[in-house]
Amino acid sequence: YPVYGDDSTVVADVNTHGRMYVRVDWDNSEAVWGNFESGVTGTELTQYSRGLYGARFTHESMEATDYEESKRHLSAFVSENQTALGHSEFLGTGGSLYYFRHTDILPGSEKLRIEVRDPDTNRVLENNTLTRGLDYEVDELQGRVILSRPLLPLVQGGAPSLILDGALDGSIAVLVADYEYLPDEFDANQVVYGARAKQWFGNHVAIGGTYVEEGRADEDYTLAGVDLTVQGGRDSWLKLEWGTSDATQANRFISTDGGLSFNNATVLAGTARSGDAYNVDLHLNGADFGLTSQWITNAWYKEVDDQFSVARRDDGANVLEYGIESQMPLREWRLG
C-alpha cells in the first residue's frame, strides 16, 4: 500500500479506460483489448502515433534477417474515436516548464521527444524519445510539462547528449509533444482503424505498406503509403517512400515562449485537401564495405505537396529538400 514519503511504488497491471481489458501474448506477437499505442512507425512519411482504446493485434515473425530484423511484421488496430490528436512544438527556452496548447489531456497519452534540427533546412538531425518519470513529469489537467533538465534553444550537433549545459553551435532543439484531448463539441461516434505490414525477401530487400482512416463528423482523414528498403549492411541502406493523405490530421501549434502563446502552422486546416509526398534516404557506413567505420555518408531527397498532412509535419507549403553529407578521417602526413 503506497504511503506518501516512503519508497513504495504503484504498479498498474491493467491499462484501460473502459470496462474490460484483455491481453494475450505468444512468441513475439500480441493481441490487446484496452488502451494501446497505435504504433504505426518505421517510416518517415506515414507515421501514425496515437493513444487509443479498442483492439490491437501485432505479429512479429520468429524468423529474422542477418541484420536482426523480423522478416514479417503485421499490426492492425480499431478504436472508437473518443478523443482528438493534439500536437505542440516548443523551441527550447533554457527552462524546464512548458504548457501544451490544450488542457484536460487524456492520462498516459502523451508522447514527448526532442528533435535537433538543422537551422538552415529544418531537417531533423537527431531524435530522442523522452520517458515519463525519468525525463519529465506532466500534469494532465493543466496541460503542464516539467523536464528533468532545462532544454537549451541550441545544442551541439553530434554530441552524445541532446540536452547540454556547455557551448552551443547553432543546431535548434525542439520539444515535440503528441497527446490525446477532448475538444469542445466533439463527436465520439466515429471509428478509427489502420494497419501496417512489412515483409523481407531474403536479407536485403523489404516492402511495406500503411493505411489509416479516421472517421470524423465533418471530413474523414486518410493516410496511406508504401515503402521499399534495400539493406546493404548492418548500418547501410536505401529507403524509398511514397505517402498520400486526405484532409488535415491535426493542427500543428508552435510556441517560442514555453507555451504562453502559440502559432498555428497548419495554414490549410479546415480546407478540402489531398496531397502526396516522396522520400529517398541513403545511408552508407564504410565498415559495411571493408573500409573504416569512421567514413559515413548520408544523402536524401524529399518532396512534399502543400496538401499533404501529417501532424509531425504540416507546413501548408510545397517542400523540396535534397542534399548529401559525408564525414571521414584525415590522416596526418609527416615529412622527413
Side-chain angles (χ1 to χ4, degrees):
Y1 182 81
V3 178
Y4 294 109
D6 67 5
D7 293 330
S8 301
T9 58
V10 178
V11 177
D13 292 325
V14 177
N15 184 20
T16 180
H17 289 106
R19 297 182 177 180
M20 183 175 69
Y21 177 83
V22 177
R23 173 172 171 174
V24 180
D25 295 274
W26 69 100
D27 297 332
N28 293 333
S29 303
E30 176 188 272
V32 173
W33 181 280
N35 290 358
F36 63 86
E37 295 289 336
S38 55
V40 179
T41 59
T43 62
E44 173 67 21
L45 300 175
T46 56
Q47 293 188 31
Y48 186 82
S49 182
R50 292 188 60 185
L52 301 169
Y53 173 78
R56 186 192 67 184
F57 169 79
T58 304
H59 168 69
E60 297 280 355
S61 68
M62 297 293 290
E63 187 179 6
T65 68
D66 291 345
Y67 308 113
E68 301 178 359
E69 294 277 353
S70 176
K71 281 208 166 184
R72 183 171 55 257
H73 167 83
L74 173 63
S75 62
F77 65 89
V78 60
S79 170
E80 188 177 31
N81 203 11
Q82 299 179 343
T83 56
L85 175 64
H87 182 90
S88 299
E89 298 182 11
F90 307 90
L91 246 59
T93 62
S96 301
L97 178 62
Y98 296 86
Y99 288 90
F100 294 150
R101 173 62 178 79
H102 307 93
T103 56
D104 287 335
I105 308 301
L106 184 67
S109 68
E110 84 288 340
K111 293 174 285 295
L112 273 63
R113 65 182 184 276
I114 294 177
E115 292 184 355
V116 177
R117 300 176 181 175
D118 186 280
D120 298 319
T121 65
N122 205 37
R123 188 171 68 93
V124 177
L125 304 176
E126 298 182 51
N127 200 325
N128 186 26
T129 300
L130 302 184
T131 302
R132 181 169 181 167
L134 178 64
D135 300 312
Y136 69 91
E137 297 291 343
V138 60
D139 184 328
E140 291 90 352
L141 183 61
Q142 301 183 47
R144 182 182 65 191
V145 173
I146 299 179
L147 301 179
S148 59
R149 298 179 62 187
L151 176 60
L152 299 176
L154 304 174
V155 297
Q156 294 175 335
S161 175
L162 296 181
I163 307 177
L164 303 174
D165 300 320
L168 311 177
D169 70 354
S171 297
I172 301 173
V174 181
L175 175 64
V176 182
D178 291 308
Y179 50 87
E180 299 291 322
Y181 73 102
L182 185 62
D184 296 334
E185 300 179 357
F186 182 71
D187 185 359
N189 297 320
Q190 304 292 333
V191 174
V192 54
Y193 59 91
R196 164 75 180 162
K198 186 175 182 179
Q199 175 68 52
W200 282 88
F201 300 92
N203 294 306
H204 301 286
V205 179
I207 297 177
T210 301
Y211 183 84
V212 175
E213 182 162 336
E214 288 184 8
R216 298 176 179 174
D218 48 359
E219 183 182 19
D220 293 349
Y221 171 76
T222 302
L223 178 66
V226 293
D227 54 276
L228 171 68
T229 302
V230 179
Q231 192 86 20
R234 186 170 298 275
D235 196 34
S236 300
W237 64 79
L238 171 65
K239 295 182 180 180
L240 309 175
E241 295 181 44
W242 166 79
T244 184
S245 71
D246 289 315
T248 299
Q249 182 180 13
N251 288 329
R252 179 170 168 245
F253 292 100
I254 300 177
S255 176
T256 60
D257 53 15
L260 299 179
S261 62
F262 285 91
N263 174 45
N264 189 353
T266 312
V267 297
L268 297 178
T271 63
R273 57 192 301 198
S274 177
D276 298 334
Y278 308 87
N279 184 63
V280 180
D281 182 25
L282 175 65
H283 183 86
L284 300 175
N285 189 320
D288 293 326
F289 305 97
L291 305 174
T292 173
S293 61
Q294 294 177 303
W295 175 76
I296 298 176
T297 296
N298 293 297
W300 66 92
Y301 176 91
K302 182 179 295 182
E303 186 174 350
V304 183
D305 293 347
D306 59 350
Q307 306 293 321
F308 182 77
S309 175
V310 289
R312 61 193 301 269
R313 179 161 189 165
D314 193 342
D315 300 315
N318 292 310
V319 176
L320 177 62
E321 295 180 8
Y322 54 89
I324 184 171
E325 61 183 15
S326 184
Q327 62 182 34
M328 62 187 70
L330 295 178
R331 295 184 178 181
E332 186 177 293
W333 296 90
R334 298 181 180 179
L335 299 177

